[in-house]
Amino acid sequence: QPSPFLLSVNNIEVIYNHVILVLKGVSLDVPEGSIVALLGGNGAGKSTTLKAISNLLASERGDVTKGSVEFRGERVDQLTPDALVKRGVVQVMEGRHCFGHLTVEENLLTGAYTRKASRAEIAQDLEKVYHYFPRLKVRRQSQAGYTSGGEQQMVAVGRALMARPSMILLDEPSMGLAPQIVEEIFEIVKDLNQKERVSFLLAEQNTMVALRYANFGYILENGRVVMDGAADELASNEDVKEFYLGLG
Ligand code: ATP
């Protein structure tokens, strides 16, 4: 029975270096058009889950040893990362990963690499990115390595948009950024979700902020989902508050 969700992760297990069991059967669903938060502390397995979905584990000596991943009801766990991008799933890695020596605009253009797009289409997509990230338009000719951390995060998301994704896997966008910039980035995520219908799976340690923007959340602990629920329910849950919101 194919999954009715946009993305379904079914009971995946991940082992690093053939011995270290890091994900111990993780399942989650992302409904079309939603923002789903994947929460949990340092080392809980959030990044590993995203990389398992986008098949980026091989370069880190990680293997998915059990389970499956479905996108639009079809198995995608044997696809290369590029093939997955062509299907519409793009990952924005933790730590932003801009090409520091290229300009902001050149970085954005690299995001269109998997598409057979005309110059006119690419120009149109660039304008769309600049519409959502006006700061990047101002900085378009700046070397990305000399822009601020917030701007580099925007470049990373903007580059993902250039692939015309229907789903973005966004790893820890708030990392190392001032609260005001985090808000700015999450507002853009919300806009992209509402206006462009991009769905998001969002890995975040910043539980409070993520739950304000997400529709649904999963909490990972030590490679397992220990709790899930509607974002507002999780945000008001006493255990979640105590352990993750620092209000306990
Ligand atoms: P963080 O926000 O710190 O990245 P996380 O929840 O994303 O946390 P992961 O990065 O997925 O957690 O890491 C989960 C566990 O897997 C940790 O114990 C980590 O040390 C281990 N791990 C991650 N990458 C590797 C690797 N390449 N080889 C071996 N172990 C790894």
Side-chain angles (χ1 to χ4, degrees):
Q1 198 75 327
S3 163
F5 296 101
L6 181 65
L7 178 83
S8 275
V9 174
N10 312 300
N11 203 26
I12 56 169
E13 188 177 271
V14 169
I15 298 184
Y16 282 115
N17 293 310
H18 302 292
V19 286
I20 311 163
L21 178 62
V22 167
L23 296 190
K24 302 162 185 168
V26 168
S27 298
L28 59 87
D29 297 311
V30 180
E32 174 121 50
S34 65
I35 301 177
V36 172
L38 186 57
L39 306 165
N42 220 325
K46 304 179 299 296
S47 295
T48 300
T49 303
L50 296 193
K51 288 178 195 161
I53 295 166
S54 48
N55 276 316
L56 290 169
L57 283 174
S59 57
E60 304 198 27
R61 299 179 54 76
D63 295 300
V64 181
T65 47
K66 229 175 67 180
S68 63
V69 179
E70 282 173 76
F71 184 69
R72 297 195 187 284
E74 289 174 24
R75 289 284 293 260
V76 292
D77 35 72
Q78 302 304 325
L79 297 183
T80 62
D82 277 10
L84 201 60
V85 172
K86 285 191 184 132
R87 295 265 187 118
V89 183
V90 179
Q91 175 152 2
V92 177
M93 303 253 259
E94 185 178 279
R96 311 190 258 278
H97 294 280
C98 292
F99 300 107
H101 58 289
L102 298 182
T103 66
V104 164
E105 186 152 298
E106 286 164 345
N107 268 277
L108 295 175
L109 290 171
T110 64
Y113 76 104
T114 52
R115 290 171 42 206
K116 286 199 205 90
S118 68
R119 274 166 169 263
E121 279 175 313
I122 288 179
Q124 200 182 342
D125 290 354
L126 254 185
E127 278 314 311
K128 184 179 274 183
V129 171
Y130 290 143
H131 167 75
Y132 285 99
F133 297 97
R135 265 171 187 260
L136 296 187
K137 186 160 191 171
V138 177
R139 303 286 265 144
R140 66 203 291 176
Q141 301 304 344
S142 306
Q143 224 179 307
Y146 291 109
T147 62
S148 70
E151 287 163 349
Q152 289 183 27
Q153 183 66 64
M154 291 175 188
V155 170
V157 176
R159 189 175 58 193
L161 282 178
M162 292 297 289
R164 295 196 177 175
S166 45
M167 158 145 233
I168 295 181
L169 310 171
L170 187 52
D171 199 354
E172 209 86 50
S174 78
M175 197 170 66
L177 301 180
Q180 194 192 328
I181 308 294
V182 171
E183 257 355 284
E184 197 179 323
I185 285 170
F186 273 78
E187 283 295 328
I188 294 167
V189 164
K190 187 169 101 182
D191 249 20
L192 289 169
N193 174 251
Q194 292 179 348
K195 297 184 186 142
E196 304 291 329
R197 291 286 289 172
V198 179
S199 304
F200 285 86
L201 179 59
L202 175 72
E204 258 301 340
Q205 287 201 41
N206 196 336
T207 308
M208 187 103 78
V209 175
L211 286 177
R212 261 199 289 116
Y213 287 91
N215 309 109
F216 201 87
Y218 290 87
I219 299 179
L220 270 186
E221 236 176 69
N222 201 9
R224 289 195 171 88
V225 174
V226 293
M227 208 186 295
D228 64 80
D232 50 349
E233 284 167 22
L234 286 179
S236 57
N237 179 292
E238 290 305 320
D239 292 333
V240 175
K241 280 195 213 169
E242 185 171 342
F243 288 107
Y244 298 101
L245 304 182
L247 305 173

